[in-house]
Amino acid sequence: MYHAIKEVVHSTLGVSIILEKPRNKGLGHFALPTFSFAKELRKSPQIIAQEFAKKLESLPQIASVNAINGYVNFSLSNAFLGQCAWEFLQGDSKESKKADSKDEKILLEYVSANPTGPLHIGHARGAVFGDSLARIGRFLGYAIHTEYYINDAGVQIEKLGKSIYYAGRALAFGESEELPQECYQGEYVFELAKSARVEFGKSVFESLESLEKLSVFGKDKMLAEIQSNLAQVGIVFDSYVSEKELFSQWDSTLESLKTHNGVYVEDAKTWLKSKEFGDEKDRVIVRQSGEPTYLAGDIIYHRNKFERHFSHCINIWGADHHGYIARVKAAIAFLGFDAEKLEVLLAQMVALLKDGIPYKMSKRAGNFILMKDVVDDVGADALRLMFLSKKLDTHLEFDVELLKKQDSSNPVYYINYAHARIHTLFSKSKFKMESFKVLPLEQYKAWDLQGDLCDLLVLALGIEKVLSDAFSQRLVNKVVDYLYALASDFHHFYNATKILNTEQEEQILKVLVVVAHSIALGLDLLGVKAKVSM
């Protein structure tokens, strides 16, 4: 609807325009500010608004138009709203395009948690956001490939193998169950040791020579658990990339950095000139021993990304990786690629409460709150909406007990209740929801909508603009806010209006089909299934 009317107004006036919502909805459905045209047209905004209003008043898409204080306010016609509603229900919304209809080919990397332990709620926030961003982008027609980067090389995996080794010795030979300080802590390490004993026998814990075998075994087990945890909330990646496998490309990557004058040697170390790209200092990428640093793996991976010819790459990292952005972009530039094609989104920390006190840590994970524990407590849908309700780069504190309340303070309940209420209305009506979805266009263009019912329809049809803004601005919380506002307006209309067994029943239910369709679509793109009964 938004893009359709904007195109009509733009074509009529012959100038690029911005459409806003009037602060007072009694003024109309949209407001067109004219202040930016004053200098070019050498007229006051008030006069420009009057001239624009005169040109728009004869359009069949517009029911009424007026010029006030430099704004052109207008309301949409019933016939135009009917056509938009009909197209929306046919799945022919302007934003509901076929897959890959946009020019951009996007690689979206997120989660990429080290496979050395279970997923905690810090990982979950970026995971849910990344999955929802991909869903919305694909709906809008972008070709989006999702990817998980497996950090399966280096000291973390060695540390996991050592942790399993000592836990296994405790279980097999009665040694101390207090693992060395340099090991990972938590019950999951002992679970891995038990599994390793079943797989390899007791002898695997007899010698440190088994560390590599235990490291690979533990990594594979933890990655499988991570994949299971993600699937529990509806997240499945298109591909996984192994850091260990990519390291075969390190020599050629380093040579490319040298060719582009991106590194230098000092104190027998190789340094990346990251300071030239805003980093606070240059960074070591090869130690004095000749061993690559942790940063080297990221450099290889990003070279691999850009060699796959994506037009845009999006990384979702934890907020503690902020300092990494400049150095990775420096490497990309020195490898001969456009560093501006890399976009990094940072996920801030999450603090969960339960009845006002900090959520219980998991003994299994060693003083972390596990994503699985929260999902088991409140459900996948509640967890997703909770993490998507705020901007990704803002701190999130949430009391999970709120998600068990059945009132407007619980967005999960409130939004779903609106959708379920509409389905309940249809279960009691002689009209059926599916029959409205197949009505001919003429029956939608002929309706007579006024007041709150018309405003409710306009809001429901506004989802295309919300989704477009949410994706382009990387603000998925806009979708949650929109769904809450739509549910709120519906609940107020429902409580103030008799619907069934009235002369207006058919017309009202036609509008409510659109409302339900918008709620179901919005929730689906957030990874949540709309409820039809509660």
Side-chain angles (χ1 to χ4, degrees), residues 10-133:
H10 162 73
S11 178
T12 302
L13 299 179
V15 293
S16 296
I17 61 165
I18 296 174
L19 294 182
E20 302 175 351
K21 284 187 176 181
R23 291 184 179 179
N24 178 0
K25 68 178 183 179
L27 295 174
H29 298 135
F30 290 101
L32 191 166
T34 63
F35 306 98
S36 62
F37 304 112
K39 184 176 181 180
E40 179 185 350
L41 299 179
R42 297 183 179 181
K43 297 178 182 179
S44 70
Q46 290 78 8
I47 292 176
I48 297 172
Q50 291 171 4
E51 292 176 350
F52 282 3
K54 190 70 175 175
K55 292 181 179 180
L56 297 179
E57 62 185 9
S58 62
L59 291 175
Q61 293 88 352
I62 293 179
S64 62
V65 59
N66 58 77
I68 302 176
N69 299 326
Y71 285 88
V72 180
N73 302 296
F74 61 90
S75 296
L76 303 175
S77 68
N78 280 307
F80 176 68
L81 288 173
Q83 178 158 345
C84 290
W86 182 82
E87 290 177 351
F88 182 54
L89 293 175
Q90 306 311 306
D92 192 28
S93 165
K94 279 186 175 288
E95 293 302 332
S96 180
K97 297 185 179 293
K98 292 182 179 179
D100 305 352
S101 64
K102 305 284 187 184
D103 291 334
E104 275 192 288
K105 181 185 177 186
I106 300 172
L107 177 61
L108 176 57
E109 181 223 333
Y110 59 102
V111 185
S112 297
N114 292 339
T116 55
L119 287 181
H120 57 67
I121 58 165
H123 301 131
R125 189 176 192 186
V128 169
F129 180 91
D131 181 66
S132 298
L133 188 68

Side-chain angles (χ1 to χ4, degrees), residues 1-17:
M1 176 193 70
Y2 171 85
H3 295 289
I5 193 61
K6 184 179 179 182
E7 179 58 33
V8 168
V9 174
H10 162 73
S11 178
T12 302
L13 299 179
V15 293
S16 296
I17 61 165

